[in-house]
Amino acid sequence: MFKHIKELQYNAKPTKPDPVYAKKLQEILGGQFGEITVMMQYLFQGWNCRGEQKYRDMLLDIGTEEIAHVEMLATMIAQLLDGAPAKEQDAIVDQNPAVEAVLGGMNPQHVIVSGLGAKASDSVGYPWTSRYTIASGNLLADFRANLNAESQGRLQAVRLYESTTDPGVRDMLSFLIARDTMHQNQFMAAIEELEQNQKPIVPSTFPQELEKQEVSYSFMNFSEGEESAQGRWATGQSMDKQANFEYIANPEAMGQVPNLNQAPAYIHDTPI
Amino acid sequence: MFKHIKELQYNAKPTKPDPVYAKKLQEILGGQFGEITVMMQYLFQGWNCRGEQKYRDMLLDIGTEEIAHVEMLATMIAQLLDGAPAKEQDAIVDQNPAVEAVLGGMNPQHVIVSGLGAKASDSVGYPWTSRYTIASGNLLADFRANLNAESQGRLQAVRLYESTTDPGVRDMLSFLIARDTMHQNQFMAAIEELEQNQKPIVPSTFPQELEKQEVSYSFMNFSEGEESAQGRWATGQSMDKQANFEYIANPEAMGQVPNLNQAPAYIHDTPI
Amino acid sequence: MFKHIKELQYNAKPTKPDPVYAKKLQEILGGQFGEITVMMQYLFQGWNCRGEQKYRDMLLDIGTEEIAHVEMLATMIAQLLDGAPAKEQDAIVDQNPAVEAVLGGMNPQHVIVSGLGAKASDSVGYPWTSRYTIASGNLLADFRANLNAESQGRLQAVRLYESTTDPGVRDMLSFLIARDTMHQNQFMAAIEELEQNQKPIVPSTFPQELEKQEVSYSFMNFSEGEESAQGRWATGQSMDKQANFEYIANPEAMGQVPNLNQAPAYIHDTPI
Amino acid sequence: MFKHIKELQYNAKPTKPDPVYAKKLQEILGGQFGEITVMMQYLFQGWNCRGEQKYRDMLLDIGTEEIAHVEMLATMIAQLLDGAPAKEQDAIVDQNPAVEAVLGGMNPQHVIVSGLGAKASDSVGYPWTSRYTIASGNLLADFRANLNAESQGRLQAVRLYESTTDPGVRDMLSFLIARDTMHQNQFMAAIEELEQNQKPIVPSTFPQELEKQEVSYSFMNFSEGEESAQGRWATGQSMDKQANFEYIANPEAMGQVPNLNQAPAYIHDTPI
Amino acid sequence: MFKHIKELQYNAKPTKPDPVYAKKLQEILGGQFGEITVMMQYLFQGWNCRGEQKYRDMLLDIGTEEIAHVEMLATMIAQLLDGAPAKEQDAIVDQNPAVEAVLGGMNPQHVIVSGLGAKASDSVGYPWTSRYTIASGNLLADFRANLNAESQGRLQAVRLYESTTDPGVRDMLSFLIARDTMHQNQFMAAIEELEQNQKPIVPSTFPQELEKQEVSYSFMNFSEGEESAQGRWATGQSMDKQANFEYIANPEAMGQVPNLNQAPAYIHDTPI
Amino acid sequence: MFKHIKELQYNAKPTKPDPVYAKKLQEILGGQFGEITVMMQYLFQGWNCRGEQKYRDMLLDIGTEEIAHVEMLATMIAQLLDGAPAKEQDAIVDQNPAVEAVLGGMNPQHVIVSGLGAKASDSVGYPWTSRYTIASGNLLADFRANLNAESQGRLQAVRLYESTTDPGVRDMLSFLIARDTMHQNQFMAAIEELEQNQKPIVPSTFPQELEKQEVSYSFMNFSEGEESAQGRWATGQSMDKQANFEYIANPEAMGQVPNLNQAPAYIHDTPI
Ligand SMILES: [Ca+2]
Ligand SMILES: [Ca+2]
Ligand SMILES: [Ca+2]
Ligand SMILES: [Ca+2]
Ligand SMILES: [Ca+2]
Ligand SMILES: [Ca+2]
């Protein structure tokens, strides 16, 4: 169960309206790595958690924090939209391409659909979809997903920081960027802990003798040129410490030439 | 540019048809972490790569291999569908619930739409979408995405291995599982290399003094109960070695109570 | 079965082309509450109707009218696109930011994909999807959906009316807005009729003693602060006249602390 | 900002696992009118609210409650999945069509993707999308959306109640159904309040003389047969008390025959 | 403008209910090549038509007919759902796997969401999307799209004919299949007419000297093995009669090795 | 299995950056008829092919070529994005509407999400979806789909050629347009071959006496006005040479007036 506190977790006040920037900021609200994604991802990982209680609790802590980030961004976007021009400016616009440029650069749904409110969409107006959410039941796999989400999320927040000079917007972003620093650290710590308790290859419980071990440590060079031989992945001990990497300069096909049966008549595929 | 070789990378031959299993196997062909996702992800990361050539080359190597995995799965699914019952069996079905169960458990599009061929969809028939693809231009972020993809992918392949006893299907899966072992190792190696050259927090190039450093290393306990204090993320040195983790048992709101302006008249929001 | 009449239901003639406005107008053609939605919604409600014939007939009347509204908007958009600049204007554009602003503000698919024709998409280019359509088989529920659709639809049409000064466009919108006035009235009338014949809570046929009646009339204050106590929903007789509203200032949890079983081994969740 | 309480708002404990029912129950978690929809809808309406504080507070109260309903359903589904058969049962299945039927009737992603956890999808596996969310900035419009959502939602919960005999599942549903009773009452009350303060046609602020008033109160009979003349919408005073309804048995076209200009050459439409 | 006639274009009466078949039949109602697709496709092609009036009229004729096909299928599906089992059959099901198989094979939304009505979705429950609709403004291109749609559509209807023995369903399908025969003929005729008036390569108005004519008639053998040399496309006069086909057994790369610039600092891509 | 060659199939080098054009060019990379669609379509048709080997080989040849086209476009787009303005230009922008227009006309995800790389999306940012892919198992049907795809694709490439004056971009497009000329020719040749071996109506294997032959050759005039009588489809021998076309000026309904049964009580539809 949840309770709501009236104050925002941190300030979300722009210095002045900027409806074109509002469109861009939607990316970290409703995009693939926006706050809605991490909110839903951590909450579902927590609710589905069949592992130790400390993981469940940690996931619900951070999932609950992310709802507050969604709230901050929605509040910021509504205020950035305060100055949206929308009315009978035809005559003016004809002489003022700057206003027309603002109108052209806005998300039209911010006027027509949400009436100057935030949308749960990304920066091109594409709606948030739960297919972004990752919750597999295997925490090592999922913490890797989370570390990625916090990396992509901080990268996007930094790019948005670079795209504005508004001190209020930058102040809010500096908070979200700092929390992403913590959250990257947090999932790196959780990953280290799990990798020490189990093996680092997910899932660690599948007996490795059941996999085709001849190809478990081979780097295959399918793209002409051998620059890829220079990486750590091509030589030396494997990261799981089970073998050494091997570089296969010319990988060979090991399988059959496919030859499908004709379909039964009631399928009406091409007659032969 | 690409060339196609007639043989499959590895065998993809079921021992007998199993159209219900064909539906399930679609998950690792066209699902969020199916082979189409990793194929597109690595190819786009390679094509967009503005970093060192060895990374571009490595990404195109593995991206090209993944096209071969898509091919293997498509071939396997077509053969699993060979026995799909579809015709005038009404009378029989009435006495034979097992046949009806097969019909009910199949993906109907395997008969109606693709004529016993594989679809680029997942195990519930949802189409593959490029929103699954991650290519940010920042390789450390993206390699974390790739490590996650290979972790989720191997986990799903293992669950599918457990869901069949067909030796031919298991043989093919044992190959894909082994390659995922390599690919997890490979991206762990690439991540280690990049983390040693830059700082581990993505993006490493954003000046940390611009973020709100008061909250960069604080774990905030937003969910009643303190089991989360027991994790590595709550105490000790942070993973980026810049500070110590701090556990905030009762996080306080630091922001304003939001208070939005009334909308201009031409928006026709609720009148006050 | 349907017949088509060559004339439009009402005039749809802009005074001059305006390709940026064409993009915006797509919202009420192919958006969540555009004419395609109401067309499909009323037709499917009519075709699926298992209630009295007068409801089926009424729904098919209005559904058929909505096809004519789709036609009017498609015709209007095609004409607004007449002036779309698209060719070899590079040199000119460099000196003329106004033209560039028009190009930037257009939906590029209006040139590249539809060749100056309307699309069945919304104002950000997102395609119409049948998940917008509501047809539950319960007419009281569905008439509430329809009243909402006509409310959102008229609101959007009004906002678009405010966003142009073109007399031809405004003339067409004044017709659609008037019809939405009628359609809101119409569904309010139909709702009143059904609420008088059955109870107002949907579905009226579920025995109320089977629901957890302790919480059937309680307003729960989950958000700090008690401004919500001032509304009609917090005190007085309930709208269904079965009880009085009750305001719970501090709602308590009534359920268990969740504790999930470990997953079976073949699922390969996190090992404990 | 939000806080999480460990206990569920109400019990969510099935008497026994039932993975086929788990698939169905997803509808009211991640479907068009599932708990995620109302959670997001009320929270965004609250965060975007530019009206009186009591409405903002009320919306955040109920939005926060809905997060708890999402949590209850996720918890219930995870437990219903406890008994999912998934391993090496081939031999058994051949003699046991009932087990095969269970396997066929399950959502395969509950095993392969989420490892026996709930998904943020509906009962056919379609992901939740934010295009379901309605927040227009006009509260009368939005409260009608909310009344519809609670009507559709209670209807679906009742149908799911009828589809199981498990006392634990029914107990949880009886709670959710009761809350939907309250929430229908609540939004009916809020609508009545707003309709008394403004006019009932949304938006009430658009000057009615600007609409094409000749057709503002006419029911148009576009579908052969006049059963629709028998409804309240065809005769008597209009619901907004501004006029009387009029029944037009044979509506005439009032618009032009469309005649589009040829496209410019650089569009390469069909040459004439 | 449109008018509705009460009778269906042709009978749509099943001999007995069959809810599993109802799920399958959704494919040709709401799938990629279902009746909604062709209805929308022909109507939008007609409304956007800037070519000769006879094409516009023809497209609106057939588009209007397709609305009637949508109506027939919706009506058929509602009747096939009449027998859907949904209530308190737990005890019975335990002994009766056939009933469980029916329940498992149904689309659960047919009960929970639409209350035994048709949905605008396909056979796996995926919603119809307007991205299926093709209307480019170039009629030769679009008539090829239409010929394809009628080919895929008739193929699917035939496969569904083979999947049932119900005489009522087969009677309706025999009508739709016959209309698809006509519609294939119709678009073949329209294509022949246009190809005789313009050149057969779409768009015919682009000056061919502006294309890279060295590769305009070359078949390139990118897949190992030369079986493809045996086709009509590899030798002889080209279909547009402008040249002869040429078979390139070993196609060579003609382009650069890509080498992208480093990104500017404010993008925060990987540092080099 | 596949191999990658470092050189592009043809040059992809713009003369200067143009981030607004980069947004438009996405249409033929990730749109409905972009290179990803044809790549996936031909590869899946090849992998699913149960017909003659020469067709499978031909499809894999062209499918493999299309991967190279995806690569060329991705490379071109990354270079067009080189000049994207994104940083601290607020002060400048205020005086320079041209820069603001560029910013407004760009796809914001090209900066925020992909860091100046191509996306697998279309020109409005909508992600590529596999629902675009057509592979039915019936090659005559599918070759018609392919001829359409190459027609729509060449039309879009030509429109994009007209929208730029950059010689480097035009050079690349002149190559893709030439290949589309070949590919239209190629599928016309393949269609001719198949139509000569089977009958031209798809599927050719369904016994025509099972369809409702009374309506197999009738053009039905559902739209007022008889301009449609002037087309080749209205008179003369049918294209399949089985009959003569017939023009029905006033098509009559041949079906029942629908009358659905009331739903069972447990569905809770509208009570009567
Ligand atoms: Ca966050
Ligand atoms: Ca793989
Ligand atoms: Ca309307
Ligand atoms: Ca609820
Ligand atoms: Ca049809
Ligand atoms: Ca191509």
Side-chain angles (χ1 to χ4, degrees), chain B residues 1-7 23 46-53 55-56 86-91 94 97 100-101 103-109 111-116 119 124-127 136-140 194 198 203-207, chain E residues 16 18 20 23-25 27-28 31-32 97-98 101-102 104-105 122-124 126 152 155-157 159-160 162-166 170 221-227 249-254 258-263 265 267-272:
Chain B
M1 203 173 81
F2 294 79
K3 295 267 181 175
H4 179 253
I5 286 106
K6 281 279 181 302
E7 288 82 15
K23 171 181 168 173
W47 292 327
N48 289 345
C49 184
R50 294 168 184 273
E52 273 185 72
Q53 287 303 309
Y55 295 119
R56 168 184 274 260
K87 195 179 155 59
E88 290 187 48
Q89 289 143 324
D90 222 37
D94 283 350
E100 182 66 29
L103 288 167
M106 283 184 62
N107 178 335
Q109 295 194 327
V111 167
I112 306 169
V113 177
S114 66
L116 308 188
K119 298 266 308 168
V124 294
Y126 186 78
S136 73
N138 184 299
L139 290 177
L140 179 51
L194 281 174
Q198 13 172 321
S204 62
T205 46
F206 186 72
Chain E
K16 62 171 202 278
D18 183 346
V20 174
K23 171 182 169 171
K24 295 180 189 169
L25 199 54
E27 188 64 37
I28 56 170
Q32 183 179 11
V102 169
D122 68 17
S123 64
V124 295
Y126 186 78
Q152 304 284 345
L155 178 61
Q156 295 182 0
R159 285 169 177 166
L160 282 161
E162 301 275 16
S163 303
T164 182
T165 54
D166 184 301
R170 286 192 152 190
N221 177 43
F222 280 104
S223 176
E224 201 178 59
E226 302 195 7
E227 293 91 337
N250 283 299
E252 303 269 311
M254 304 163 71
N259 196 354
L260 302 182
N261 294 330
Q262 211 181 325
I267 294 296
H268 295 275
D269 277 5
T270 310
I272 301 194

Side-chain angles (χ1 to χ4, degrees), chain E residues 34-35 38 42 62 65-66 69-70 150 176 179-180 183:
Chain E
E35 301 291 354
V38 286
Y42 304 154
I62 183 172
E65 178 176 358
E66 302 294 2
H69 296 185
V70 174
E150 297 290 342
L176 294 175
R179 294 307 292 153
D180 289 348
H183 293 161

Side-chain angles (χ1 to χ4, degrees), chain E residues 158-232:
Chain E
V158 161
R159 285 169 177 166
L160 282 161
Y161 186 100
E162 301 275 16
S163 303
T164 182
T165 54
D166 184 301
V169 176
R170 286 192 152 190
D171 185 37
M172 182 195 70
L173 288 173
S174 78
F175 180 84
L176 294 175
I177 291 167
R179 294 307 292 153
D180 289 348
T181 297
M182 175 57 195
H183 293 161
Q184 288 187 39
N185 271 288
Q186 170 180 341
F187 287 114
M188 290 168 84
I191 286 167
E192 189 185 80
E193 211 181 75
L194 281 174
E195 287 183 349
Q196 283 166 358
N197 295 344
Q198 8 172 323
K199 285 173 288 176
I201 301 305
V202 168
S204 62
T205 46
F206 186 72
Q208 212 170 345
E209 63 274 16
L210 296 180
E211 73 183 50
K212 196 83 190 168
Q213 287 177 287
E214 296 88 306
V215 296
S216 292
Y217 298 96
S218 309
F219 185 93
M220 296 184 187
N221 177 43
F222 280 104
S223 176
E224 201 178 59
E226 302 195 7
E227 293 91 337
S228 59
Q230 300 156 27
R232 174 65 185 83

Side-chain angles (χ1 to χ4, degrees), chain C residues 216-232:
Chain C
S216 293
Y217 299 95
S218 310
F219 185 93
M220 297 184 187
N221 177 42
F222 281 106
S223 176
E224 202 179 58
E226 302 195 6
E227 293 92 335
S228 58
Q230 300 157 26
R232 173 65 185 85

